[in-house]
Amino acid sequence: MLMRIHCLDRSPQPGYQSRLRFSHKSRIRAAAVTLLLSLLPMGKALAQHGQGPQYMYLLHCGGCHIENGSGMPPAIPDLRITMPKLASHDEGRAYMVQVPGASQAPVTDAQLTEIMNWMLRTFAEGTFRPYTETEVTQHRANKVLDILALRRQLIAENLEAP
Ligand code: HEC
């Protein structure tokens, strides 16, 4: 609008003004179309991951566990090593939901179930039974007093190296 007034003021002859207005409008239209087109792939990616487990993992877990699960050993375990071992028995499955990072994340039980199953598929190669939401709800409600002691016990039993 401002630009149009500006154009009007400087219009030296009839016809010039409408030509300018036309080219100005079409430039805006072209810019809008370009912007829209450039946003399409991003919108598509967001729509794909916006509510998905990978997005939630990155948001709530990835800060510590890193995008590929490698973590920062020894402080943050490498999930690609520990998850397959822990996932192979019931105690380990329960423990993985009970760790504070998982159980206390600001997500619903349904969302945590989705995240855990995505992690199992992504970091624990093998055919592990997916978590059900009921299972996650139960483990989450069952607080462990000393999670590190439980981890030490499970790690000693199931992993050769920490
Ligand atoms: C602030 C850092 C941090 C965040 C955020 C975090 N974790 Fe963890 N996670 C850890 C640490 C440290 C351990 C090792 C056990 C412990 O000290 O609690 C761990 C252990 C685990 C384990 C078991 C693997 C093992 O070797 O002990 C799983 C599974 C896990 N986290 C899942 C998650 C999920 C799911 C989320 C997100 C919803 C998440 N974590 C967020 C730090 C974090």
Side-chain angles (χ1 to χ4, degrees):
M1 191 63 189
L2 269 177
M3 241 184 115
R4 196 144 50 142
I5 293 166
H6 181 70
C7 293
L8 275 173
D9 286 343
R10 297 188 33 169
S11 147
Q13 41 185 266
Y16 176 79
Q17 178 216 111
S18 62
R19 258 200 325 275
L20 240 187
R21 212 182 312 163
F22 175 73
S23 71
H24 180 61
K25 264 189 197 162
S26 53
R27 249 184 293 143
I28 289 180
R29 201 176 308 133
V33 169
T34 313
L35 183 72
L36 200 69
L37 285 177
S38 70
L39 285 178
L40 275 179
M42 201 163 85
K44 212 170 156 194
L46 276 179
Q48 273 166 358
H49 298 295
Q51 302 296 318
Q54 183 178 11
Y55 178 84
M56 289 191 285
Y57 169 81
L58 289 174
L59 196 64
H60 299 291
C61 327
C64 291
H65 289 291
I66 314 294
E67 195 176 353
N68 65 0
S70 60
M72 285 161 264
I76 316 281
D78 186 337
L79 297 176
R80 300 165 306 179
I81 297 175
T82 59
M83 275 193 93
K85 315 272 173 135
L86 292 163
S88 61
H89 55 94
D90 289 346
E91 261 193 311
R93 282 172 68 90
Y95 159 78
M96 287 197 290
V97 175
Q98 289 162 336
V99 284
S103 64
Q104 288 167 28
V107 292
T108 63
D109 291 351
Q111 287 171 324
L112 186 56
T113 309
E114 272 192 69
I115 299 175
M116 293 304 301
N117 287 337
W118 178 84
M119 287 167 77
L120 276 182
R121 287 197 304 275
T122 313
F123 304 137
E125 278 178 30
T127 46
F128 294 110
R129 186 164 41 91
Y131 284 96
T132 62
E133 191 181 330
T134 315
E135 201 180 350
V136 166
T137 305
Q138 277 168 3
H139 295 326
R140 220 177 174 184
N142 188 7
K143 302 262 179 291
V144 175
L145 282 181
D146 194 342
I147 196 84
L148 289 180
L150 174 60
R151 182 174 197 272
R152 271 195 302 275
Q153 184 197 329
L154 290 171
I155 294 291
E157 282 171 10
N158 300 291
L159 297 170
E160 286 134 29

Coordinates of all heavy atoms in Angstrom, one line a residue, residues 4-55:
R4 N 2.5 1.7 -3.2 CA 1.6 2.2 -4.3 C 1.4 3.7 -4.2 O 1.5 4.4 -5.2 CB 0.2 1.5 -4.2 CG -0.6 1.6 -5.4 CD -1.4 0.4 -5.7 NE -2.1 0.1 -4.5 CZ -3.3 -0.4 -4.5 NH1 -3.9 -0.6 -5.7 NH2 -4.0 -0.7 -3.4
I5 N 1.3 4.2 -3.0 CA 1.2 5.7 -2.8 C 2.5 6.3 -3.3 O 2.4 7.3 -4.1 CB 0.9 6.0 -1.3 CG1 -0.4 5.5 -0.9 CG2 1.1 7.5 -1.1 CD1 -0.7 5.5 0.6
H6 N 3.6 5.7 -3.0 CA 4.8 6.2 -3.4 C 4.9 6.3 -5.0 O 5.3 7.3 -5.5 CB 5.9 5.3 -2.9 CG 7.3 5.6 -3.2 ND1 7.9 6.7 -2.7 CD2 8.2 5.1 -4.0 CE1 9.1 6.8 -3.1 NE2 9.3 5.8 -4.0
C7 N 4.4 5.2 -5.6 CA 4.4 5.2 -7.0 C 3.5 6.2 -7.6 O 3.8 6.9 -8.6 CB 3.9 3.8 -7.5 SG 5.0 2.5 -7.1
L8 N 2.3 6.4 -7.0 CA 1.4 7.4 -7.5 C 2.0 8.8 -7.5 O 1.9 9.5 -8.4 CB 0.1 7.4 -6.6 CG -0.9 6.4 -6.9 CD1 -2.0 6.4 -5.8 CD2 -1.5 6.7 -8.2
D9 N 2.7 9.1 -6.4 CA 3.3 10.4 -6.2 C 4.3 10.7 -7.3 O 4.4 11.8 -7.9 CB 4.0 10.5 -4.9 CG 3.0 10.7 -3.7 OD1 1.9 11.0 -4.1 OD2 3.4 10.4 -2.6
R10 N 5.0 9.7 -7.7 CA 6.1 9.9 -8.6 C 5.7 9.6 -10.1 O 6.5 9.7 -11.0 CB 7.3 9.0 -8.2 CG 7.8 9.4 -6.9 CD 9.0 8.7 -6.5 NE 9.8 8.5 -7.7 CZ 11.1 8.1 -7.6 NH1 11.6 7.9 -6.5 NH2 11.8 7.9 -8.7
S11 N 4.4 9.3 -10.3 CA 4.0 8.9 -11.6 C 4.0 10.2 -12.5 O 3.3 11.1 -12.3 CB 2.6 8.4 -11.5 OG 1.8 8.7 -12.6
P12 N 4.8 10.2 -13.5 CA 5.0 11.4 -14.4 C 3.9 11.5 -15.4 O 3.6 12.6 -15.8 CB 6.4 11.2 -15.0 CG 6.6 9.7 -15.0 CD 5.7 9.1 -14.0
Q13 N 3.3 10.5 -15.9 CA 2.3 10.6 -17.0 C 1.2 9.5 -16.8 O 1.5 8.5 -16.2 CB 3.0 10.4 -18.3 CG 4.1 9.2 -18.2 CD 4.9 9.0 -19.4 OE1 4.5 8.2 -20.2 NE2 6.0 9.8 -19.5
P14 N 0.1 9.8 -17.4 CA -1.0 8.8 -17.3 C -0.6 7.4 -17.9 O 0.2 7.4 -18.9 CB -2.2 9.4 -18.1 CG -1.7 10.6 -18.7 CD -0.3 10.9 -18.2
G15 N -1.0 6.4 -17.3 CA -0.7 5.1 -17.9 C 0.5 4.5 -17.2 O 0.6 3.3 -16.9
Y16 N 1.5 5.3 -16.8 CA 2.7 4.9 -16.1 C 2.3 4.2 -14.8 O 2.8 3.2 -14.4 CB 3.6 6.1 -15.9 CG 4.9 5.8 -15.1 CD1 5.9 5.2 -15.8 CD2 5.0 6.1 -13.8 CE1 7.1 4.9 -15.1 CE2 6.1 5.9 -13.1 CZ 7.2 5.3 -13.7 OH 8.3 5.0 -13.0
Q17 N 1.4 5.0 -14.1 CA 1.0 4.6 -12.8 C 0.4 3.2 -12.8 O 0.7 2.3 -12.0 CB 0.0 5.6 -12.2 CG -0.5 5.3 -10.9 CD -2.0 5.8 -10.9 OE1 -2.9 5.0 -10.8 NE2 -2.2 7.1 -11.0
S18 N -0.6 2.9 -13.7 CA -1.2 1.6 -13.7 C -0.3 0.5 -14.1 O -0.3 -0.6 -13.7 CB -2.5 1.7 -14.6 OG -2.0 2.0 -15.9
R19 N 0.7 0.9 -15.0 CA 1.7 -0.1 -15.4 C 2.5 -0.5 -14.2 O 2.8 -1.7 -14.0 CB 2.6 0.5 -16.5 CG 2.3 0.0 -17.9 CD 3.4 0.1 -18.9 NE 4.2 1.3 -18.7 CZ 4.0 2.5 -19.2 NH1 2.8 2.7 -19.9 NH2 4.8 3.5 -19.1
L20 N 2.9 0.5 -13.4 CA 3.7 0.3 -12.3 C 3.0 -0.6 -11.3 O 3.5 -1.5 -10.7 CB 4.0 1.6 -11.6 CG 5.5 2.0 -11.5 CD1 5.7 3.2 -10.7 CD2 6.3 0.8 -10.9
R21 N 1.7 -0.2 -11.1 CA 0.9 -0.9 -10.1 C 0.7 -2.4 -10.5 O 0.9 -3.3 -9.7 CB -0.5 -0.3 -10.0 CG -1.0 -0.4 -8.6 CD -2.4 0.2 -8.4 NE -2.5 1.5 -9.0 CZ -3.7 2.0 -9.3 NH1 -4.8 1.4 -9.0 NH2 -3.8 3.2 -9.8
F22 N 0.6 -2.6 -11.8 CA 0.4 -3.9 -12.3 C 1.7 -4.7 -12.1 O 1.7 -5.8 -11.5 CB 0.1 -3.9 -13.8 CG 0.1 -5.2 -14.5 CD1 -1.0 -6.1 -14.2 CD2 1.1 -5.7 -15.2 CE1 -1.1 -7.3 -14.8 CE2 1.1 -7.0 -15.8 CZ 0.0 -7.8 -15.6
S23 N 2.9 -4.1 -12.4 CA 4.1 -4.9 -12.3 C 4.4 -5.1 -10.8 O 4.9 -6.2 -10.4 CB 5.3 -4.1 -12.9 OG 5.6 -3.0 -12.2
H24 N 4.0 -4.2 -10.0 CA 4.2 -4.3 -8.5 C 3.4 -5.5 -8.0 O 3.9 -6.4 -7.3 CB 3.8 -3.0 -7.8 CG 4.0 -3.0 -6.4 ND1 5.2 -3.2 -5.8 CD2 3.1 -2.9 -5.4 CE1 5.1 -3.2 -4.5 NE2 3.8 -3.0 -4.2
K25 N 2.2 -5.5 -8.4 CA 1.3 -6.6 -8.0 C 1.8 -7.9 -8.4 O 1.8 -8.9 -7.7 CB -0.1 -6.3 -8.5 CG -1.1 -5.6 -7.6 CD -2.5 -5.7 -8.1 CE -3.3 -4.6 -7.5 NZ -4.5 -4.3 -8.2
S26 N 2.2 -8.0 -9.7 CA 2.6 -9.3 -10.2 C 3.9 -9.7 -9.6 O 4.1 -10.9 -9.4 CB 2.7 -9.3 -11.7 OG 3.5 -8.2 -12.1
R27 N 4.7 -8.8 -9.2 CA 5.9 -9.2 -8.5 C 5.6 -9.7 -7.1 O 6.2 -10.7 -6.7 CB 6.9 -8.0 -8.3 CG 8.1 -8.1 -9.2 CD 9.1 -7.0 -9.0 NE 8.5 -5.8 -9.5 CZ 8.7 -4.6 -9.0 NH1 9.5 -4.5 -7.9 NH2 8.2 -3.5 -9.4
I28 N 4.6 -9.1 -6.4 CA 4.2 -9.6 -5.1 C 3.6 -11.0 -5.3 O 4.0 -11.9 -4.5 CB 3.2 -8.7 -4.5 CG1 3.9 -7.4 -4.1 CG2 2.5 -9.4 -3.3 CD1 3.0 -6.4 -3.4
R29 N 2.8 -11.2 -6.4 CA 2.2 -12.5 -6.6 C 3.3 -13.5 -6.8 O 3.3 -14.6 -6.3 CB 1.2 -12.4 -7.7 CG 0.2 -13.5 -7.6 CD -0.8 -13.5 -8.7 NE -1.5 -12.2 -8.8 CZ -1.7 -11.5 -9.9 NH1 -1.3 -12.0 -11.1 NH2 -2.3 -10.4 -9.9
A30 N 4.3 -13.2 -7.7 CA 5.3 -14.1 -8.0 C 6.1 -14.5 -6.7 O 6.5 -15.6 -6.5 CB 6.3 -13.5 -9.0
A31 N 6.4 -13.4 -5.9 CA 7.1 -13.7 -4.7 C 6.3 -14.6 -3.7 O 6.9 -15.5 -3.1 CB 7.4 -12.4 -3.9
A32 N 5.0 -14.4 -3.7 CA 4.2 -15.2 -2.8 C 4.2 -16.7 -3.3 O 4.3 -17.6 -2.5 CB 2.7 -14.7 -2.8
V33 N 4.1 -16.8 -4.6 CA 4.1 -18.2 -5.2 C 5.4 -18.9 -4.9 O 5.5 -20.0 -4.5 CB 3.8 -18.2 -6.7 CG1 4.1 -19.5 -7.3 CG2 2.4 -17.7 -6.9
T34 N 6.5 -18.1 -5.1 CA 7.9 -18.7 -4.8 C 8.0 -19.1 -3.3 O 8.4 -20.2 -3.0 CB 9.0 -17.6 -5.1 OG1 8.7 -17.1 -6.4 CG2 10.3 -18.2 -5.1
L35 N 7.5 -18.2 -2.5 CA 7.6 -18.5 -1.0 C 6.8 -19.8 -0.7 O 7.2 -20.6 0.0 CB 7.0 -17.3 -0.2 CG 7.1 -17.4 1.3 CD1 8.6 -17.3 1.7 CD2 6.3 -16.3 2.0
L36 N 5.6 -19.8 -1.3 CA 4.7 -21.0 -1.0 C 5.4 -22.2 -1.5 O 5.4 -23.2 -0.8 CB 3.4 -20.7 -1.8 CG 2.2 -21.6 -1.3 CD1 1.8 -21.1 0.1 CD2 1.0 -21.5 -2.2
L37 N 5.9 -22.2 -2.7 CA 6.6 -23.4 -3.2 C 7.8 -23.8 -2.4 O 8.0 -25.0 -2.2 CB 7.1 -23.1 -4.7 CG 5.9 -23.1 -5.7 CD1 6.5 -22.7 -7.1 CD2 5.2 -24.5 -5.8
S38 N 8.5 -22.8 -1.9 CA 9.7 -23.1 -1.1 C 9.3 -23.7 0.3 O 10.0 -24.4 0.9 CB 10.6 -21.9 -0.9 OG 10.0 -21.0 -0.1
L39 N 8.1 -23.3 0.7 CA 7.6 -23.8 2.0 C 7.0 -25.2 1.9 O 6.9 -25.9 2.9 CB 6.6 -22.9 2.6 CG 7.1 -21.6 3.2 CD1 5.9 -20.7 3.7 CD2 8.0 -21.9 4.4
L40 N 6.6 -25.6 0.7 CA 5.9 -26.9 0.6 C 6.8 -28.1 1.1 O 6.2 -28.9 1.9 CB 5.5 -27.1 -0.9 CG 4.2 -26.5 -1.3 CD1 3.9 -26.8 -2.8 CD2 3.1 -27.1 -0.4
P41 N 8.0 -28.2 0.7 CA 8.8 -29.4 1.2 C 8.9 -29.4 2.7 O 8.8 -30.4 3.4 CB 10.2 -29.3 0.5 CG 10.0 -28.2 -0.5 CD 8.8 -27.4 -0.3
M42 N 9.1 -28.2 3.2 CA 9.3 -28.0 4.7 C 8.0 -28.4 5.4 O 8.0 -29.2 6.4 CB 9.7 -26.6 5.1 CG 10.4 -26.5 6.4 SD 11.2 -24.9 6.5 CE 9.9 -23.9 7.0
G43 N 6.9 -27.9 4.8 CA 5.6 -28.3 5.4 C 5.4 -29.8 5.4 O 4.9 -30.3 6.3
K44 N 5.8 -30.4 4.3 CA 5.6 -31.8 4.1 C 6.4 -32.6 5.2 O 5.9 -33.5 5.8 CB 6.0 -32.2 2.7 CG 5.3 -33.4 2.1 CD 5.6 -33.5 0.7 CE 5.4 -34.9 0.2 NZ 6.0 -35.2 -1.0
A45 N 7.7 -32.1 5.3 CA 8.6 -32.8 6.3 C 8.0 -32.6 7.7 O 8.0 -33.6 8.5 CB 10.0 -32.2 6.2
L46 N 7.5 -31.4 8.0 CA 6.9 -31.2 9.4 C 5.7 -32.0 9.6 O 5.5 -32.6 10.6 CB 6.6 -29.7 9.5 CG 7.7 -28.8 10.0 CD1 7.3 -27.4 10.1 CD2 8.3 -29.3 11.3
A47 N 4.9 -32.1 8.5 CA 3.7 -32.9 8.6 C 4.0 -34.4 8.9 O 3.4 -35.1 9.6 CB 2.8 -32.8 7.4
Q48 N 5.1 -34.8 8.2 CA 5.5 -36.2 8.4 C 6.1 -36.5 9.8 O 5.8 -37.5 10.4 CB 6.6 -36.6 7.4 CG 6.0 -37.0 6.1 CD 7.0 -37.1 4.9 OE1 8.2 -36.7 5.2 NE2 6.6 -37.4 3.8
H49 N 6.9 -35.5 10.3 CA 7.6 -35.7 11.6 C 6.9 -35.0 12.7 O 7.3 -35.2 13.9 CB 9.0 -35.4 11.5 CG 9.8 -36.2 10.4 ND1 9.9 -37.6 10.6 CD2 10.3 -35.9 9.3 CE1 10.6 -38.0 9.6 NE2 10.8 -37.1 8.7
G50 N 6.0 -34.0 12.4 CA 5.5 -33.1 13.4 C 4.9 -33.8 14.6 O 5.2 -33.4 15.7
Q51 N 4.2 -34.8 14.4 CA 3.6 -35.5 15.6 C 4.2 -36.9 15.8 O 3.9 -37.6 16.6 CB 2.1 -35.7 15.3 CG 1.3 -34.4 15.1 CD 1.4 -33.5 16.3 OE1 1.2 -34.0 17.4 NE2 1.6 -32.2 16.0
G52 N 5.2 -37.2 14.9 CA 5.7 -38.6 14.9 C 6.7 -38.8 16.0 O 7.2 -37.9 16.6
P53 N 7.0 -40.1 16.2 CA 7.9 -40.6 17.3 C 9.3 -40.0 17.1 O 10.0 -39.7 18.1 CB 7.9 -42.1 17.2 CG 7.3 -42.4 15.9 CD 6.4 -41.3 15.4
Q54 N 9.8 -39.9 15.8 CA 11.2 -39.5 15.6 C 11.3 -38.0 16.1 O 12.3 -37.6 16.8 CB 11.6 -39.6 14.2 CG 13.0 -39.2 14.0 CD 13.5 -39.3 12.5 OE1 12.6 -39.6 11.6 NE2 14.7 -39.2 12.3
Y55 N 10.3 -37.2 15.8 CA 10.3 -35.8 16.2 C 10.2 -35.7 17.7 O 11.0 -35.0 18.3 CB 9.0 -35.1 15.6 CG 8.9 -33.7 16.0 CD1 9.6 -32.7 15.3 CD2 8.1 -33.3 17.0 CE1 9.4 -31.4 15.7 CE2 7.9 -32.0 17.4 CZ 8.6 -31.0 16.7 OH 8.5 -29.7 17.1

